[in-house]
Amino acid sequence: MKIAVLGAGYAGVSVLENLVSTLPDLSALSVDVFDKSRSFGPGVAYQEDSETNLLNRPLKLMYLSRRNDFRDWLVQFGARDAAADEDGFLQRAQFGRFLQSRFDDLCGAVRAAGGRIRIIGAEVEAIAPSRRPDALYQLSWAGSGSDYDMVYLCLGTNLEADPYGLSGTPGYFRSPYPAARLQALQHLRVGILGCRLTAYDVALGVNGRQMLMTSRRAGLPKAVTAYRPVALRHLTAEGLAALRDGCDGGRISLSAVMDLFEAEMQHQGVDVSFAELLRGADSADNDLVSSILAETNMLIPQLWASLSDRAKAAFLRHFHRLWSNMRVPISRTNADQIAGLQASGALNHRSGLRDVTFRKGCYRMAFADGTVEVDAVINATGLQRGLDEANPLIRSLLEQGFAERDATGGIKVQLEDCRVTTRDGRPSQGLFALGQLTCGTFYMVNNIDVIHHQARIATLSALAPVETLRSVG
């Protein structure tokens, strides 16, 4: 069995973890793992970077294969102080080191069992049907190529938006990471596009004296001090099933979804309405709101799948940014640091940004009441939901008919097992996608709960006969 895993961040390591734990005979396994960044384990999200880049989930909610495996690893390797506070928000790079350690262990396990694993620091450029009867796909990279039975697309989150078309201008940073390099800008006037987690990373990375954080509409995200267990009553699989039963064809309306969230907030005793929360209102207990929303991670893909295409388009147009701002809170530590920069006058925030242009050596950020000039602009607006058509592999997937664009983002996949949907609407054989590529099907794919789930269902589906034999044996 020859398998290719394209990308070695959280999703890629999760796939490898599931392959190793599912296959009864690792000696039959042959895996090639590709990552052009050569960051096998951390990927981009958890790479070595500024110490101010903190996780936006506490230690108790960070894991790879099981709850508390990250904390156990910290204890094992002597970081007992970090492991002692389960509500602590640790540096992202610490989690990256854990992922790298697990990746190394998994590679070692495959080799020790007589299996084969190759680590390839290159980008796959093309995919084609295999000419061999015992394989499905042929991949090509850097003048080389090979054939595979299965391919897992774990390409990660590498396509930043460019909302004002500034790419190619001097002083524009389309990608904000690694944030540590931004400290070189601390003596300049810096404009930051966006006001969410990434924008906080940028402001703390620059640590300048003339920084302007901007957005079109959204306000600053909420800070969370500690998540706590919440037992949901309405935002459940049963609640969604009841909604579907009352709708033609099982498609539910946006207003019905809003009502479901409203009912849950009232049941939990939240002091403001869900509509007000979406518009940026503060609750007296923001930790409770964040805890409720965190518990919905695995329901969101099911809710999204139950909406009509028209309802999805309306949500993306009117509510996506508001939801993202509310759903992704900031650690109290970083929120306090940002507040300190604001209090000192080093950082200001303005909403209502209309346009950004580059002219005569500086950038002009246009608002309704005037223009602000800056020397550098850093894009922290987040990731595009669309496809990176400059990526040769993406072009190849589409041209060969192996994949189909999803109008709401990424490529179409099967919700039940992450199989890529072909151009003619059929589930592919042996081709799976995880993470950002699946945002059209799963909607929110920027949390480890969903990616962990995707890795599990994709590998179980691919290895179903093996799993059946293992259960019987």
Side-chain angles (χ1 to χ4, degrees), residues 190-193 212 214 353 355-357 363-367 370-374 377:
V190 176
I192 302 170
L193 303 179
L212 177 62
T214 67
L353 181 65
D355 195 17
V356 184
T357 56
Y363 295 89
R364 290 169 172 80
M365 311 186 85
F367 299 85
T371 300
V372 178
E373 293 187 350
V374 296
V377 172

Side-chain angles (χ1 to χ4, degrees), residues 415-428:
L415 183 65
E416 62 273 14
D417 62 8
C418 292
R419 288 181 187 270
V420 175
T421 304
T422 62
R423 183 190 294 156
D424 57 6
R426 294 181 295 108
S428 64

Side-chain angles (χ1 to χ4, degrees), residues 38-59:
R38 299 177 182 270
S39 181
F40 294 93
V44 173
Y46 304 108
Q47 65 183 308
E48 294 292 334
D49 201 352
S50 172
E51 293 182 356
T52 56
N53 286 10
L54 302 184
L55 297 164
N56 69 328
R57 290 164 63 108
L59 171 61

